């Protein structure tokens, strides 16, 4: 009796050990637990042998673990893949390690890893489809422009990764360091630069405030559009003479010259706020040089997102956004507006210009006389669409066949 | 032990649950009225400011796009409206015990004093103002029990306190300006404590009646307050601070330490929901008025 109890206990212990072992197996990386099926798969997929002959091979491919990514029996996705896009990649490549900093490269955010990488093998390091800058320039052709007279040497050499992280970064522009620190890591920027225009204190300066980091037609890779007083070397228009070229105070300085600009702020919704810069205008505008004719401090969405951080997050996590989401000023007035959300043409801004001229003529009626039964206010494009981000295609607020309609039309 | 664990879990839930979930925990705020496109009122066009006259029990609406100040009784029936070519875009309104109105007009960026009976509109010339680093542009305004006016001096990041004649007695500023993007709203309680909101900085500041900063809470990186894009604030009679959050579609209610107590409403278009709230005001009967696009909803908290 006692010996059978011992055997039973031993069996339970053994079972527990096996169970714990199996649990342990289950918690390891997916690809690690997959069997080598290379021989079996290659019996039919003979052409796949070629992928093994390239210089760089993805580890699961090299190890013959085809089923790490493919289901050998059935799948609802092409290529017998269990999931689509980056989800498969992130099963092994931890998304928290290098892919989820504050600024995420849009293909990474959208799970389009294969936009840059070949999943099986490649002649290039990092399984890149194209070598060096070619990969970047296929989407960003203007950034490496060699048609301009002066090109930053690193751009000329195609070394995009000298300054940029292609996955994600804490810095705007996917820069590997803060803008000021980045330039200083190659250029000894301390001291004073006696440029053609001014003697400029360069210690701790933001080089990219005046210089284009990529290319320009101006010597010194100076940005294309110059503020007139800067261009004309009339520093004292904005700066007090003397040490440090201290800037004169506030928005009043700008209004002195741009007299009618104040009218554009005198609206129900006004962007005339002090912000964190010494001069409120300088929250958005560059006082010296810019690549934008409006002398914007940076690319439009970056300027806007500096204050509208929550909007940036909302846009980033939304399934569907307006395709021109980065062109904020196409729909919104930057200074002030009498319409909600600073829209330039009210709620029907979409049809007021050249973008969607037929909208409202054949679709659901909109306008002052069409009342949303929920809010008892006038319907406009934004009643059904949220261009800033929505769960459904065409940035619809509800599913297009019924879900959207029943928000108002009770069935 | 179990109760303590449950309580700790509840606190964690309250801190991190989405606002929609927290709305279910509020004290039962219900919609008492919706003010929108009624025949007598006409169409509200971008209403931007509200004021409730406790003595006369009148609600005043600064209907900026409608170029008018509308008055309603406490049952929210339209009574009258005031228009004047010198006040083409009223976005803020308060009423002094003298019966005079103080209005911010957006078209001129000016603070006006309005006598509706005599149909007189005049600019308020603020005097004895310490020079700021920038030009004076008035933002939102509030009025204290003693008819002191509290005017946001937008570009100088301060709140000017003036008497009815526009004589400025002091300027309220924060101790540490780092991280302050500017003041977007201001309110005064019965004890003349001043409450101010920095929308971009997502921070609430509280000053005592002398203008000294007592406390502040929130901040762009503080996720515990659940503030996403706070744009307006009000103070309830119990001292709770009500913050209208435009992106959350809710009014978030805090104590003075910044601890979130509950949320009123949730994102949506239906009655009782908020699409994009831009202004909140509370009257002495603890009715909570929220401007949400072209409608105004009045909430009443059941247990208060």
């Amino acid at each position: 009796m006692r010996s059978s109890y011992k055997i039973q206990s031993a069996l339970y212990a053994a079972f527990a050990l096996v169970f714990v072992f199996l649990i342990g197996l289950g918690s390891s990386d997916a690809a690690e637990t997959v069997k080598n099926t290379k021989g079996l798969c290659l019996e039919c997929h003979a052409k796949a042998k070629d992928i093994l002959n390239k210089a760089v091979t993805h580890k699961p491919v090299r190890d013959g673990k085809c089923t790490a990514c493919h289901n050998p029996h059935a799948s609802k996705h092409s290529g017998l893949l269990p999931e689509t896009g980056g989800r498969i990649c992130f099963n092994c490549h931890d998304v928290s390690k290098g892919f989820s900093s504050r600024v995420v490269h849009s293909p990474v955010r959208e799970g389009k890893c294969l936009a840059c990488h070949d999943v099986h093998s490649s002649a290039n390091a990092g399984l890149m489809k194209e070598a060096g800058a070619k990969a970047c320039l296929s989407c960003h052709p203007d950034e490496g422009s060699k048609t301009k007279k002066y090109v930053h040497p690193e751009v000329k050499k195609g070394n995009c990764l000298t300054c940029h992280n292609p996955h994600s970064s804490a810095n705007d522009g996917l820069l590997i360091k803060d803008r000021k620190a980045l330039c200083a890591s190659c250029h000894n920027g301390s001291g004073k630069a006696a440029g053609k225009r001014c003697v400029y204190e360069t210690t701790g300066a933001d080089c990219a405030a005046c210089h284009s980091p990529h290319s320009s037609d101006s010597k010194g890779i100076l940005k294309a559009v110059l503020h007139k007083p800067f261009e004309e070397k009339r520093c004292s228009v904005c700066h007090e003479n003397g040490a440090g070229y201290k800037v004169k105070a506030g928005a009043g300085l700008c209004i002195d010259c741009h007299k009618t600009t104040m009218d554009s702020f005198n609206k129900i919704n006004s962007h005339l706020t002090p912000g964190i810069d010494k001069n409120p205008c300088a929250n958005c505008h560059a006082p010296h040089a810019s690549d934008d004719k409006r002398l914007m401090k940076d690319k439009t969405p970056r300027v806007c997102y500096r204050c509208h951080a929550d909007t940036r997050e909302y846009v980033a996590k939304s399934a569907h956004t307006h395709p021109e989401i980065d062109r904020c000023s196409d729909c919104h007035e930057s200074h002030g507006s009498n319409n909600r959300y600073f829209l330039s043409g009210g709620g029907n801004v979409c049809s007021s210009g050249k973008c969607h001229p037929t909208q409202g003529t054949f679709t659901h009626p909109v306008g002052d006389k069409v009342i949303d039964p929920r809010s008892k206010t006038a319907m406009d494009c934004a009643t059904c669409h949220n261009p800033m981000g929505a769960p459904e295609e065409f940035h619809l607020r509800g599913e297009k066949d019924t879900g959207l309609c029943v928000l108002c039309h009770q069935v | 032990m179990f109760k303590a664990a449950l309580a700790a879990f509840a606190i964690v839930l309250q801190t991190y649950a989405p606002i929609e979930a927290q709305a279910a925990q509020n004290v039962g705020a219900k919609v008492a009225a919706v003010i929108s496109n009624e025949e007598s009122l006409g169409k509200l066009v971008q209403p931007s400011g509200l004021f409730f006259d406790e003595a006369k029990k009148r609600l005043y609406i600064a209907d900026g796009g409608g170029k008018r100040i509308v008055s309603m009784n406490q049952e929210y029936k339209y009574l009258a409206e005031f228009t004047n070519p010198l006040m083409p875009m009223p976005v803020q309104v308060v009423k002094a015990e003298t019966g005079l109105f103080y209005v911010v007009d957006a078209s001129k960026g000016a603070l006006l004093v309005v006598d509706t009976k005599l149909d007189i509109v005049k600019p308020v010339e603020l005097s004895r103002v310490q020079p700021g680093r920038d030009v004076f542009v008035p933002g939102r305004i509030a009025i204290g029990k003693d008819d002191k006016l509290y005017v946001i001096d937008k570009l100088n990041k301060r709140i000017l306190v003036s008497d009815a004649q526009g004589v400025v007695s002091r300027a309220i500023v924060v101790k540490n300006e780092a991280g302050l993007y500017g003041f977007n709203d201001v309110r005064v309680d019965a004890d003349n404590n001043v409450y101010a909101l920095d929308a971009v900085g997502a921070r609430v500041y509280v000053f005592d009646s002398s203008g000294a900063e007592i406390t502040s809470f929130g901040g762009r990186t503080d996720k515990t307050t659940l503030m996403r894009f706070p744009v307006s604030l009000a103070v309830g009679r119990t001292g709770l601070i009500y913050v209208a959050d435009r992106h959350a579609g809710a009014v978030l209610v805090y104590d003075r330490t910044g601890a979130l107590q509950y949320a009123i409403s949730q994102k949506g278009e239906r009655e009782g929901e908020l699409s994009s709230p831009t202004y909140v005001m509370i009257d002495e009967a603890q009715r909570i008025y929220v401007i949400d696009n072209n409608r105004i909803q009045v909430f009443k908290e059941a247990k208060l």
Side-chain angles (χ1 to χ4, degrees):
Chain A
M1 188 69 176
R2 179 172 280 252
S3 67
S4 85
Y5 175 74
K6 275 185 180 172
I7 291 166
Q8 200 176 356
S9 300
L11 278 172
Y12 278 137
F15 177 75
L17 276 172
V18 169
F19 183 72
V20 167
F21 176 70
L22 288 174
I23 291 273
L25 275 183
S27 66
S28 64
D29 279 351
E32 295 297 321
T33 60
V34 175
K35 284 183 180 174
N36 185 334
T37 59
K38 183 162 59 180
L40 181 62
C41 299
L42 291 181
E43 279 180 23
C44 295
H45 300 279
K47 282 185 183 172
K49 281 178 186 169
D50 295 343
I51 65 176
L52 294 166
N53 296 330
K54 292 184 183 170
V56 186
T57 317
H58 197 195
K59 189 170 182 294
V61 176
R62 197 165 61 239
D63 295 344
K65 293 177 177 176
C66 307
T67 55
C69 299
H70 300 280
N71 186 319
H73 297 125
S75 169
K76 58 182 176 181
H77 304 295
S78 65
L80 289 169
L81 293 168
E83 290 175 284
T84 54
R87 284 184 195 161
I88 305 168
C89 310
F90 292 132
N91 281 339
C92 293
H93 300 276
D94 189 347
V95 74
S96 68
K97 291 178 181 166
F99 299 99
S100 55
S101 297
R102 188 178 70 87
V103 184
V104 182
H105 196 198
S106 58
V108 177
R109 191 171 64 230
E110 292 159 16
K112 293 177 179 169
C113 307
L114 305 192
C116 300
H117 299 281
D118 190 313
V119 74
H120 293 123
S121 64
S122 165
N124 308 307
L127 290 167
M128 292 299 290
K129 281 181 173 172
E130 301 278 0
K134 273 189 183 174
C136 310
L137 297 178
S138 60
C139 290
H140 306 277
D142 298 335
E143 303 296 6
S145 174
K146 290 176 183 171
T147 57
K148 290 185 181 167
K149 215 169 166 185
Y150 301 94
V151 183
H152 191 269
E154 290 301 302
V155 176
K156 205 180 273 180
K157 287 185 243 168
N159 292 340
C160 306
L161 302 190
T162 303
C163 300
H164 300 279
N165 181 326
H167 292 137
S168 75
S169 164
N171 307 299
D172 281 340
L174 289 165
L175 296 177
I176 57 170
K177 287 181 188 173
D178 166 74
R179 229 159 77 152
K180 291 179 186 175
L182 181 62
C183 301
S185 58
C186 291
H187 303 273
N188 179 8
S190 62
K192 287 181 178 175
K196 268 191 175 178
R197 287 173 177 79
C198 306
V199 177
Y200 191 76
E201 178 64 58
T202 57
T203 310
D206 179 8
C207 308
C210 294
H211 301 277
S212 170
H214 294 135
S215 61
S216 162
D217 284 327
S218 305
K219 198 177 174 186
I221 328 181
L222 209 59
K223 287 186 172 177
V225 184
L226 305 181
H227 192 202
K228 206 152 192 173
F230 177 64
E231 190 178 11
E232 294 168 356
K233 305 172 200 175
R234 293 186 292 124
C235 306
S236 61
V237 170
C238 304
H239 295 275
E240 287 170 7
N241 288 326
Y245 283 88
K246 192 180 167 193
V247 75
K248 288 177 184 171
L253 167 69
C254 306
I255 295 163
D256 276 350
C257 293
H258 303 272
K259 292 188 193 308
T260 55
T261 303
M262 200 63 186
D263 296 340
S264 62
F265 284 103
N266 288 337
K267 307 285 179 184
I268 294 171
N269 300 302
S270 173
H271 256 150
L272 192 63
T273 50
I276 49 171
D277 219 295
K278 285 174 189 163
N279 183 321
C281 306
N283 285 312
C284 303
H285 296 284
H288 297 123
S290 169
D291 280 331
D292 182 289
K293 64 180 179 186
R294 298 163 298 172
L295 279 169
M296 296 303 288
K297 207 171 187 175
D298 208 331
K299 289 181 180 172
T300 310
R302 286 186 203 154
V303 171
C304 303
Y305 288 152
R306 269 183 205 147
C307 289
H308 297 278
D310 186 61
T311 302
R312 174 189 216 141
E313 280 181 36
Y314 180 79
V315 167
K317 72 182 181 191
S318 293
H320 298 275
T321 55
H322 194 281
E324 307 293 344
I325 190 79
D326 283 347
R327 294 170 56 169
C328 312
S329 311
D330 281 8
C331 302
H332 301 278
E333 293 285 358
S334 313
H335 287 176
S337 165
N338 289 332
N339 303 309
R340 63 178 179 152
Y341 310 124
F342 286 79
L343 290 170
S344 45
N348 294 315
V349 60
C350 323
S351 57
S352 60
K354 59 185 176 184
C355 298
H356 304 279
T358 55
Q359 195 281 334
T361 58
F362 64 90
T363 60
H364 192 290
V366 291
D368 284 351
K369 290 178 183 169
V370 186
I371 301 300
D372 182 335
R374 300 166 301 166
S375 64
K376 313 284 191 296
T377 56
M379 279 188 75
D380 55 31
C381 307
T383 306
C384 298
H385 301 271
N386 184 356
M388 302 305 291
E392 298 293 329
E393 202 181 1
F394 308 117
H395 33 274
L396 287 168
R397 293 178 188 272
E399 182 269 320
K400 69 176 187 293
D401 292 328
T402 50
L404 179 70
C405 309
V406 298
L407 290 174
C408 295
H409 301 278
Q410 300 299 319
V411 288
Chain B
M1 183 74 176
F2 177 71
K3 275 186 181 173
L6 202 64
F9 183 62
I11 288 169
V12 170
L13 266 185
Q14 180 160 335
T15 310
Y16 296 105
I19 286 161
E20 287 79 0
Q22 293 205 20
Q25 299 174 16
N26 76 25
V27 288
K30 288 187 176 162
V31 180
V34 179
I35 303 165
S36 61
N37 301 317
E38 292 146 30
E39 201 175 322
S40 56
L41 170 66
K43 195 178 150 196
L44 289 171
V45 187
Q46 289 278 293
S48 307
L50 299 168
F51 183 78
F52 194 83
D53 178 352
E54 295 292 346
K56 289 200 166 180
K57 301 296 176 197
R58 294 279 185 273
L59 173 70
Y60 297 101
I61 305 168
D63 184 19
K67 306 178 182 208
R68 59 184 180 162
I69 300 288
V70 177
S71 75
M72 306 187 102
N73 68 14
Q74 61 183 329
E75 279 82 41
Y76 314 114
K77 298 292 174 210
Y78 171 87
L79 296 174
E81 63 188 51
F82 177 79
T83 60
N84 189 295
L86 297 175
M87 186 196 71
M89 205 181 283
V91 289
Q92 285 283 284
V93 59
V94 295
K95 189 181 177 188
E97 285 179 8
T98 56
L100 294 174
F101 290 86
Y102 292 88
V103 172
V104 174
D105 186 89
S107 72
K108 298 185 185 109
L111 178 64
L112 308 171
V113 58
V114 176
D115 186 330
T116 53
K117 286 177 186 158
L118 300 175
D119 194 16
I120 295 172
V121 176
K122 288 192 301 189
V124 177
E125 301 293 347
L126 293 176
S127 60
R128 295 192 196 167
V129 186
Q130 288 290 319
R133 64 184 162 201
D134 214 328
V135 291
F136 169 72
V137 178
R140 285 179 174 171
I141 54 175
I143 194 161
K145 290 278 179 200
D146 50 3
D147 272 3
K148 282 261 189 303
L149 266 180
Y150 296 77
V151 184
I152 293 177
D153 178 359
K154 282 169 76 171
L155 298 182
N156 291 308
K157 296 187 178 183
R158 62 185 180 177
I159 298 158
L160 300 175
V161 186
S162 96
D163 64 15
Q165 284 70 48
V167 179
V168 173
S169 54
R170 65 175 181 274
I172 298 174
V173 295
V174 298
K175 286 180 208 159
N176 179 10
E177 220 180 71
L180 175 70
Y181 285 76
F183 292 125
N184 297 78
D185 206 358
V186 60
R187 291 291 189 282
V188 191
D189 69 12
D191 299 322
N192 281 338
N193 293 308
V194 180
Y195 301 77
L197 175 73
D198 173 7
V200 178
R203 183 171 280 276
V204 171
Y205 295 87
V206 184
F207 306 90
D208 68 15
S209 57
S210 73
E213 188 181 329
I214 304 170
T215 186
S216 71
F217 62 85
R220 296 191 90 186
T221 54
D222 183 353
K223 300 286 180 192
T224 62
T225 63
L226 298 181
M227 279 191 242
R228 290 175 53 191
F229 199 63
V231 289
S232 181
L233 90 171
V235 189
R237 66 177 177 218
T238 58
L240 292 175
I241 300 164
Y242 293 67
V243 175
D245 191 296
R246 194 166 182 166
H247 289 182
V251 177
L252 307 171
V253 185
Y254 302 91
D255 67 13
R256 264 202 193 183
T257 69
L260 180 63
Q261 305 298 301
Y262 52 88
I264 293 172
S265 189
Q266 59 185 352
K267 191 106 179 149
E269 297 287 341
R270 289 175 296 186
E271 188 175 304
E273 295 177 332
L274 296 170
S275 167
S276 180
T278 50
Y279 193 85
V280 60
M281 182 204 60
I282 302 176
D283 68 15
E284 282 184 4
Q286 196 64 24
R287 288 175 296 195
I288 302 152
Y289 300 75
V290 185
I291 297 179
D292 182 25
N293 288 324
N294 289 334
R295 67 175 169 172
I296 299 158
Q297 297 197 70
V298 187
F299 294 89
K300 183 81 180 158
E301 289 177 294
K303 289 184 187 172
L304 291 175

